Amino acid sequence: MFSRDAWNEIFETIRKNKLRTFLSGFTVALGILIFVTLFGFGNGLINTFNKFFNEDATNVFYFFPGKTTMPYKGYKSNRQIEFDNTDIADIQKDFPMFLEYISPRISRSNLIRYQAESNNYTTHGVAPSHQFAEKTVIMKGRYLNLKDMKEKSKHVVIGRLVEQDLFGSRNSLGKYVDIGGSAFKVIGVFQDEGGDREERFVYMPYTTRQLIEKNTDKINMIVIGFKPEIGYAGAMAFESNLKKFLKGKKFIHPDDESGFFIRNVADQLEKNQQFTGVLKLIVAFVAIGTIIAGIIGISNIMVFVVKERTKELGIRKALGATPGNVISTILLESVFITTISGFVGMLIGILLLRSLDDRLEDFFITNPYIDTGTAVIATLMLVLFGSIAGYVPASKAARIKPIVALRDE
Amino acid sequence: MIEIKDLHKSYTMGSNVLHVLKGINFKAEDGELVAIMGSSGSGKSTLLNILGMLDEADSGEYTLDGVPIRDLTETKAAKYRNKFLGFVFQSFNLINYKNALENVALPLYYQRMPRKERHDKAMKYLEQVGLKEWAHHLPSELSGGQKQRVAIARAMAAEPKLLLADEPTGALDSTTSYEVMDLIQKINDAGNTILVVTHEEDIAHMCKRIIHLRDGVIVKDEKVEQVRASAYV
Ligand SMILES: Nc1ncnc2c1ncn2[C@@H]1O[C@H](COP(=O)(O)OP(=O)(O)O)[C@@H](O)[C@H]1O
Ligand SMILES: [Mg+2]
């Protein structure tokens, strides 16, 4: 059945029935091409989504102070909660198992001037570890360090766009900018995946910020990075322990959720992953639909092919073809054509996706791709189910009495 | 060579039962050239198809070259057809996308003969029917007589014990018909057993024996003086 001679016979048939070959080959190639493209686009959508929402580190909590809504332990309600340096120290002391890093953040809007250029920017007073939370990437110079914190130095790290605004094409490193009447030395320039807004931030030591503001020890916000290895459940436990701790320390009623707020990136990550999951499901659904359509397409072609060949098969039977010969004649031809054209379609699809790269970013499709495994499996599925679908008309044809087949016109 | 006893065949169409063969008995020896005659619809093709295992009888016995033919599976029938039988049809039944040589070689393919050998043999038989030069032409490029000669070459290539021809000249003009009959006579001269279905008197008389079929039975079985087709070509 799989002898060289059988294949020769099949190649000959394929060569001499170009329309039929083209028809089934085209259907399969197109089916796989559409599958690969759709699947790639789906992955591109997911890429875009991930890029929008996951540009910051995902193992981070942000704590914001709020106002109480319940009286508690002699405190009236509607009391403004504030964080200060002792909170940072306490959390560091109490949660070493969970904590990877912690940084205060004191955000202000400042007019920043360099020579004739000036502009309003958001400045963040932060600790060195803040770099990890924002995934700040230093382009030149350096980030803030512990020495800056201790010495309350007037150093700033400025965003790429801040440098562009104020310095144009000149180098800002080592230059002094004026922030609210004090001169700060630029020690670093950064870029951030987060986009233009985040590249117009200016970072300075939080200690310096506190010094400027009458040596206060108050903090706007606490940024906490937890160890990724504690996982989602660990992060949840950490969050509730932190809550309990801060409520106790700040005399907030245990049921009062307004004393402070938490933005939990892990939580958001979970939601993002759910959304990505739904996207993947939709893509898979559409893709499987394409494959099924392809299979139906081949089955129809197979029915047509067998019908067209009924008389020929009758002649072959009269000359001694067994039912097995008939089935293998039809199936091997179909498997051969579907395999070749399937892989051709797959290759075209993959090349198409590659050549698109990020050209479709305006349509929210970034780096569309399909992993080769998925593409190969889909192609093999189509071949497999295509031949199963082809088997039905083939075996039917094999069972037709030769005399009936010969009468067919 | 062939022996059939009390062969019956009927076709059912809806509630109608058409009894086509109503008990056929006959014998043919090695090397005979038998014409089966009868008017259209008398069951000639039906009989030939049963002899050719392209169709099955309802009842009766059939022995081919000493082998009782019964309880045939499709696969077994295919093997027997391939080994014992050659067919020539009125409508030629060549495969239209295969050239003359490939058509002739096809039964040899089903005998699992190696490609080279197959082609040599096919070429030899094409030469015998005088179509060596046409080996690489498609059927559509051949005349009716040429097509039938290719079909005869194909039937003979497998070296069957029995050649069955159903109105081999039915689609041909008389000159071409005689050419084809000349070929059949020569094949018979070489010792092959042949059954020819025809409704034409002149063709029947080019055989050595005529069986007359009417209303599903054999009404007459006569030996005749063979008219040589070569006299007319
Ligand atoms: N498959 C079939 N189904 C029903 N009737 C058939 C079938 N084949 C042949 N017949 C009928 O059987 C009769 C004999 O047919 P056939 O053997 O072809 O006759 P002949 O070859 O002598 O002209 C005809 O009446 C024909 O209509
Ligand atoms: Mg007939």
Side-chain angles (χ1 to χ4, degrees), chain B:
Chain B
M1 167 59 63
I2 311 180
E3 181 163 11
I4 52 177
K5 276 188 193 150
D6 204 24
L7 201 74
H8 285 262
K9 174 76 180 176
S10 47
Y11 293 112
T12 313
M13 286 178 300
S15 55
N16 285 0
V17 178
L18 184 64
H19 207 165
V20 181
L21 300 181
K22 302 172 183 168
I24 305 280
N25 294 286
F26 100 104
K27 245 175 155 171
E29 302 301 333
D30 257 8
E32 279 202 76
L33 174 53
V34 184
I36 300 172
M37 271 206 79
S39 56
S40 176
S42 58
K44 306 182 295 289
S45 297
T46 304
L47 176 59
L48 200 78
N49 290 334
I50 290 170
L51 293 176
M53 296 175 229
L54 296 172
D55 203 354
E56 282 170 294
D58 298 336
S59 64
E61 283 173 35
Y62 173 20
T63 314
L64 175 62
D65 199 31
V67 182
I69 306 297
R70 67 167 97 92
D71 302 331
L72 280 185
T73 62
E74 239 332 297
T75 306
K76 215 160 147 196
K79 299 240 159 87
Y80 282 161
R81 283 196 293 268
N82 189 241
K83 214 160 78 180
F84 293 145
L85 302 168
F87 294 97
V88 177
F89 302 94
Q90 178 174 355
S91 55
F92 320 125
N93 281 342
L94 299 175
I95 291 176
N96 57 18
Y97 63 83
K98 286 181 175 290
N99 67 30
L101 185 70
E102 291 161 343
N103 264 288
V104 175
L106 196 56
L108 304 176
Y109 167 74
Y110 288 116
Q111 286 181 354
R112 300 166 179 279
M113 186 180 286
R115 192 180 181 78
K116 173 88 177 60
E117 221 177 296
R118 203 158 80 211
H119 275 216
D120 290 348
K121 193 160 184 187
M123 193 54 103
K124 192 181 96 188
Y125 278 91
L126 267 183
E127 195 173 2
Q128 278 182 21
V129 301
L131 288 177
K132 194 179 175 195
E133 280 70 44
W134 297 84
H136 298 286
H137 287 252
L138 290 177
S140 57
E141 296 159 348
L142 303 177
S143 72
Q146 287 173 323
K147 280 186 213 176
Q148 199 59 300
R149 272 146 65 195
V150 172
I152 291 170
R154 181 177 68 184
M156 293 312 298
E159 290 169 357
K161 297 191 188 309
L162 177 62
L163 181 65
L164 300 171
D166 191 352
E167 312 248 10
T169 60
L172 306 174
D173 62 51
S174 52
T175 318
T176 319
S177 294
Y178 296 146
E179 283 169 13
V180 166
M181 280 316 288
D182 182 39
L183 191 57
I184 286 176
Q185 285 176 340
K186 281 180 181 145
I187 292 168
N188 176 245
D189 293 344
N192 294 289
T193 316
I194 306 178
L195 294 190
V196 180
V197 160
T198 182
H199 62 267
E200 294 164 89
E201 282 286 345
D202 54 344
I203 298 298
H205 279 91
M206 290 175 177
C207 301
K208 296 172 175 166
R209 175 181 168 193
I210 304 179
I211 288 172
H212 295 269
L213 217 58
R214 189 181 306 148
D215 295 332
V217 289
I218 294 175
V219 291
K220 195 167 154 200
D221 187 345
E222 52 175 347
K223 291 248 185 314
V224 294
E225 192 58 39
Q226 187 181 37
V227 178
R228 293 303 293 194
S230 52
Y232 296 89
V233 292

Side-chain angles (χ1 to χ4, degrees), chain A residues 1 125 146 219:
Chain A
M1 182 162 154
L146 282 173
I219 295 168

Side-chain angles (χ1 to χ4, degrees), chain A residues 8-278:
Chain A
N8 272 332
E9 176 68 19
I10 285 156
F11 292 149
E12 226 160 77
T13 314
I14 287 173
R15 243 199 347 267
K16 291 179 177 172
N17 294 276
K18 294 210 172 64
L19 179 68
R20 188 164 83 209
T21 306
F22 173 78
L23 221 66
S24 40
F26 186 75
T27 309
V28 171
L30 193 68
I32 290 290
L33 176 63
I34 293 174
F35 169 84
V36 169
T37 316
L38 274 181
F39 206 91
F41 281 8
N43 279 335
L45 271 179
I46 291 168
N47 282 345
T48 310
F49 180 82
N50 285 342
K51 211 166 113 181
F52 277 169
F53 293 96
N54 297 341
E55 72 269 15
D56 294 340
T58 50
N59 57 329
V60 182
F61 297 137
Y62 295 89
F63 279 75
F64 309 85
K67 276 182 178 172
T68 59
T69 53
M70 295 179 190
Y72 188 61
K73 288 196 171 168
Y75 289 94
K76 281 186 279 183
S77 91
N78 206 25
R79 172 171 54 104
Q80 176 68 50
I81 300 296
E82 286 182 307
F83 296 142
D84 58 46
N85 290 352
T86 65
D87 299 333
I88 302 276
D90 286 347
I91 292 171
Q92 248 164 345
K93 193 163 69 97
D94 287 6
F95 298 98
M97 279 169 32
F98 297 109
L99 198 66
E100 177 141 293
Y101 55 80
I102 182 166
S103 168
R105 178 147 117 186
I106 310 168
S107 303
R108 300 285 180 262
S109 179
N110 286 103
L111 186 71
I112 301 182
R113 193 167 56 76
Y114 177 73
Q115 294 176 352
E117 300 293 335
S118 68
N119 223 330
N120 265 308
Y121 296 99
T122 303
T123 65
H124 295 300
V126 298
S129 56
H130 192 271
Q131 185 179 4
F132 308 122
E134 279 290 339
K135 285 193 181 164
T136 308
V137 178
I138 290 295
M139 294 166 68
K140 54 186 175 183
R142 63 167 176 87
Y143 202 70
L144 303 164
N145 61 21
L146 282 173
K147 191 154 166 274
D148 293 322
M149 303 297 131
K150 214 180 292 164
E151 294 176 354
K152 304 177 185 180
S153 52
K154 291 191 169 177
H155 286 169
V156 284
V157 178
I158 64 175
R160 185 177 63 85
L161 295 177
V162 177
E163 183 185 46
Q164 207 175 77
D165 293 349
L166 298 181
F167 292 85
S169 57
R170 288 169 295 177
N171 190 354
S172 62
L173 275 192
K175 304 280 169 24
Y176 286 85
V177 292
D178 179 284
I179 304 180
S182 323
F184 280 75
K185 186 181 181 183
V186 177
I187 58 162
V189 178
F190 68 87
Q191 60 187 26
D192 194 308
E193 284 271 288
D196 288 4
R197 199 179 66 89
E198 299 200 354
E199 291 190 329
R200 286 208 161 80
F201 285 163
V202 171
Y203 295 114
M204 65 171 72
Y206 75 99
T207 50
T208 313
R209 172 51 76 191
Q210 288 177 329
L211 181 66
I212 292 170
E213 299 187 345
K214 303 183 190 120
N215 213 0
T216 178
D217 66 347
K218 299 285 182 272
I219 295 168
N220 263 172
M221 189 201 293
I222 302 174
V223 180
I224 294 175
F226 57 83
K227 292 179 175 156
E229 61 266 25
I230 67 174
Y232 184 70
M236 291 298 109
F238 184 30
E239 181 186 318
S240 79
N241 285 346
L242 271 174
K243 254 182 175 168
K244 217 178 291 167
F245 168 78
L246 280 175
K247 278 181 182 173
K249 186 175 172 193
K250 303 285 180 190
F251 306 109
I252 301 168
H253 190 284
D255 296 333
D256 189 349
E257 297 297 336
S258 304
F260 55 84
F261 303 101
I262 305 169
R263 184 159 81 91
N264 180 348
V265 181
D267 214 16
Q268 210 171 320
L269 178 71
E270 178 93 341
K271 284 196 191 101
N272 288 359
Q273 277 170 349
Q274 269 171 16
F275 184 77
T276 317
V278 171

